[in-house]
Amino acid sequence: MSIRELSKEIAIVVKRIKPSVVTISTEIPHPLLFFGYEPVRGYGSGFIIAPGYVVTNAHVVHSASRVSVIFSDGYISEARVIASDPHRDLALLRTAEHGVPIKLGDSNKLEVGEIVLAVGSPLGLLENSVTMGVVSAVGRTITSQNVILEDVIQTDAAINPGNSGGPLVNLEGEAVGVTTAIIPFAQGIGFAIPINTVKRFIEMINRYGKPLRAWIGVYVAPLNPTMAALYNLPVSEGLLVVKVIPGFPAHASGIVEGDIIVSANGKPVKRTSELKEVIEDSIDEGYVELEVIRGKRKYITRVSIVVE
């Protein structure tokens, strides 16, 4: 495909997804110097996943007393925050059945080097903007002042605060992520929450009525052959435990930093999302069985699940 053909293909994709991307307008009460409050207006982006339902970042609507959705044709509708999960930085809004839902892709199929588009409304401008980049990495864990996001997509597509909450789109016009500008110092680096995380977020709401957080108190990173060779690890696939939270079940069961989790409930785990899915699917049981490697020793331990 020539550069000209590629540019035309991108233009066609952008035109097709434009009716699915919305601007989120918020009013946040701000205390005056002496008495009372005045609303401070903020803006972000979002996208329609089903008639009347919009996904955006949790930090976009945090503390908002009023939320409105502005569709691509200028139509404005009040919105209600159905669910907000700061741990995933995701929020689900209920609004008017207007616009066109975007097709959701499969973020597990994303490959490093794949071209992606970040679509949103920068600086509160109502006309959508598009930036292009490639997938720089997958499975990243990023830390900001108030939140740790696991298994995120890294891209060099420019993402500014106004684009936050908009879709990261592949060249098939599918949403593969939700862009987030929650890391203000990440110059030239963009991050997006995988669309499969959004699907699990919606699934938890449908199953339990709210986005429960089920976890065992560890942060992990996917292993790869380079990391395994560098640190002389006994396996090249699995999840390396990089942090254990004191007082949580993983710590109580004896898991320590440097351990490698290779399976959960008998299922091999190579991605952070795979471990999280097994833990979430085990909420009703209340525990998960992990196969752990420490040095040359392999053992199985049962770890309780904390639900928040």
Side-chain angles (χ1 to χ4, degrees), residues 287-306:
Y287 66 88
V288 62
E289 287 192 347
L290 304 179
E291 184 178 1
V292 181
I293 294 177
R294 180 181 300 165
K296 295 183 179 180
R297 177 189 170 213
K298 180 184 291 187
Y299 67 96
I300 294 177
T301 181
R302 178 177 290 189
V303 184
S304 299
I305 296 172
V306 173

Side-chain angles (χ1 to χ4, degrees), residues 9-250:
E9 182 69 24
I10 291 172
I12 291 171
V13 170
V14 172
K15 186 176 182 179
R16 186 166 73 245
I17 65 174
K18 184 178 179 179
S20 304
V21 182
V22 301
T23 299
I24 309 293
S25 173
T26 61
E27 292 184 5
I28 301 173
H30 181 74
L32 295 173
L33 183 59
F34 296 106
F35 60 89
Y37 292 84
E38 65 176 354
V40 174
R41 189 170 294 279
Y43 292 95
S45 301
F47 56 97
I48 305 166
I49 61 166
Y53 292 92
V54 168
V55 162
T56 186
N57 289 142
H59 76 263
V60 168
V61 296
H62 178 67
S63 299
S65 59
R66 184 177 182 183
V67 180
S68 300
V69 171
I70 307 172
F71 295 87
S72 61
D73 61 1
Y75 180 78
I76 302 176
S77 172
E78 294 293 310
R80 177 169 57 90
V81 179
I82 292 179
S84 180
D85 184 352
H87 298 293
R88 295 181 176 92
D89 195 26
L90 292 173
L92 180 65
L93 312 182
R94 184 72 168 96
T95 188
E97 295 186 7
H98 195 78
V100 180
I102 197 169
K103 184 178 180 181
L104 304 184
D106 183 354
S107 50
N108 285 346
K109 294 181 179 179
L110 274 179
E111 297 184 5
V112 173
E114 186 173 342
I115 295 175
V116 286
L117 310 172
V119 188
S121 305
L123 306 176
L125 301 175
L126 300 185
E127 185 67 26
N128 290 336
S129 73
V130 180
T131 58
M132 184 178 74
V134 299
V135 175
S136 306
V138 294
R140 286 285 198 236
T141 296
I142 58 174
T143 305
S144 75
Q145 185 176 359
N146 300 313
V147 69
I148 297 176
L149 296 179
E150 297 180 286
D151 201 38
V152 300
I153 303 161
Q154 181 180 321
T155 177
D156 63 355
I159 299 170
N160 57 50
N163 286 79
S164 201
L168 188 73
V169 181
N170 63 19
L171 292 187
E172 296 179 3
E174 300 171 329
V176 292
V178 183
T179 61
T180 178
I182 204 168
I183 309 296
F185 53 80
Q187 298 296 325
I189 302 175
F191 297 103
I193 300 152
I195 203 67
N196 287 5
T197 299
V198 177
K199 294 176 183 178
R200 295 291 294 186
F201 171 68
I202 301 299
E203 182 182 336
M204 296 295 279
I205 295 171
N206 290 335
R207 189 188 304 178
Y208 298 105
K210 58 183 179 179
L212 297 180
R213 185 194 189 200
W215 77 315
I216 58 175
V218 296
Y219 292 104
V220 297
L223 276 181
N224 56 55
T226 302
M227 186 186 300
L230 181 63
Y231 294 101
N232 194 28
L233 299 176
V235 292
S236 59
E237 291 185 334
L239 298 172
L240 180 66
V241 177
V242 296
K243 187 174 183 179
V244 180
I245 309 301
F248 279 84

